[in-house]
Amino acid sequence: MEPNIIKISPDTEKIYQRSKSIVIKVGSSLLVEDRLGAIKKEWFASFIEDVMHLRKLGKTVIIVSSGAINLGRKILNIKDNELTLEQEQAAASVGQIELSKEYQEHFKHKGLICSQILITLDDFTNRRRYLNCKSTLKTLLKFGVIPIVNENDTVATDEIRYGDNDRLAAQVASICESDLLILLSDIDGLYTASPKKSKNAVHIPFISEITEEIELMAEGPENEFSHGGMKTKIEAAKVTTSVGCNLIIADGQKRNPIDKIFKRKATWFLASQSVKAARKKWILNMKSLGEIIIDFKAEKALKSGNSLLPVGATKCIGQFSRGDVVTVKREDGQIVAKGLASFNQIETGKILGLKSEDIQGVLGYNRKPELIHRDNMAFFN
Ligand code: GLU
């Protein structure tokens, strides 16, 4: 059976150049010597150079880095091949500090600031923590910081754990509305069968739709030191392509693994729509939990690309929290748009009609004034 593969090569260089926000996932086997459990210094320095280059091109970069467990197991001298969960957690705790130190030293040397973010699966299922994580990441990027993300393995037990950084990286790319996720691995992409087991395995350069056949081609982890396999990479691609973000699986073993990645043998999972279009569709399809009624002036302002400010809102109906979808209506009842509320209904009710500078006095705390930010708004055609 022929898999669903694009026959005409898309312009990968253009896709790459257009990508402003990039997430790079670094697999443990690239960063850490298998048996020695030490950082591969030269490779690491070349990777940092590549990231520097992306920053110089004006792109924002988030790194999702594995390696804590492998570094920690060496330091703790754990010889067992299979670690218990408790051993993994202890190794991660020791190794994470080492990993962060390496990133910090290298970036500092180049005049860049990096930060550490440790996340569990639970953080993404809890709405409040999800929104906080999103706004922290966005703020760090605005400051020009390079966030270094890993799973918080020390506290994550199996039921609240990703266990692999492929899917974690996809979630990060999705919440940051990134254009491109690069999964740097020890294999140059997806094959019709495992190339280690079958001579007839054929490399697949481009995938436009993740069909059942594609999923069947994926195998589990092949290496005792890595947690993800092709399966988790395909799961990651399902997440990213649904939100408009392209994904590349590339072999990162050689030095300067990102340099001219668009020219290398790799597998590209191509999103059928842009991040903006996917987000708009998602907002319009979400169930609305409330209504905000606006005046004529506000409608005009929204239509010319501005955010919805309290001064233009006259009424709010329903029960909603920060981040929920609400409908924006005119006073005559006509629907204008749908968007993500920045305040819950109680706060919104208190600040209706207020000028931005008066909000803090009424709420008692300082927050950005928009009721709905323009990036979180979708209009009906
Ligand atoms: N979070 C794990 C670690 O640092 C790695 C998970 C993975 O390899 O995907 O070390």
Side-chain angles (χ1 to χ4, degrees), residues 89-105:
Q89 291 177 318
S93 172
V94 172
Q96 182 61 40
I97 200 166
E98 224 22 55
L99 188 64
S100 295
K101 195 183 81 193
E102 289 287 341
Y103 276 105
Q104 194 192 32
E105 276 174 6

Side-chain angles (χ1 to χ4, degrees), residues 14 19 34 82 127-128 147 151 183 200 244 322 344 365:
K14 208 178 208 168
S19 302
D34 271 2
E82 286 279 322
R127 183 142 194 88
R128 184 177 278 255
E151 181 151 28
L183 297 180
N200 300 328
R322 175 181 157 219
N344 66 30
Y365 41 84

Side-chain angles (χ1 to χ4, degrees), residues 250-316:
D251 182 356
Q253 294 180 93
K254 295 217 175 88
R255 283 195 215 156
N256 296 102
I258 309 288
D259 188 35
K260 303 217 171 51
I261 198 164
F262 47 84
K263 285 196 173 155
R264 294 215 223 117
K265 190 176 174 192
T267 297
W268 288 69
F269 288 83
L270 298 156
S272 59
Q273 53 189 339
S274 68
V275 175
K276 260 196 177 163
R279 188 162 169 78
K280 179 177 169 181
K281 200 167 146 197
W282 176 78
I283 292 174
L284 291 179
N285 284 335
M286 285 291 284
K287 186 174 184 281
S288 171
L289 296 181
E291 290 176 9
I292 298 179
I293 316 300
I294 59 167
D295 62 21
F296 173 67
K297 267 194 191 163
E299 183 187 356
K300 239 178 122 184
L302 295 193
K303 290 193 169 153
S304 44
N306 294 297
S307 299
L308 175 60
L309 295 172
V311 72
T314 56
K315 203 171 157 191
C316 92

Side-chain angles (χ1 to χ4, degrees), residues 25 28 65-69 150-151 153 163-166 226-228:
K25 182 253 171 176
S28 192
S65 181
S66 305
I69 296 174
N150 196 0
E151 181 151 28
D153 294 303
D164 66 87
N165 278 354
D166 297 324
S226 89
H227 286 75

Side-chain angles (χ1 to χ4, degrees), residues 222-233:
E222 307 221 313
N223 164 344
E224 65 189 278
F225 293 105
S226 89
H227 286 75
M230 260 320 145
K231 240 189 182 127
T232 57
K233 290 179 178 46

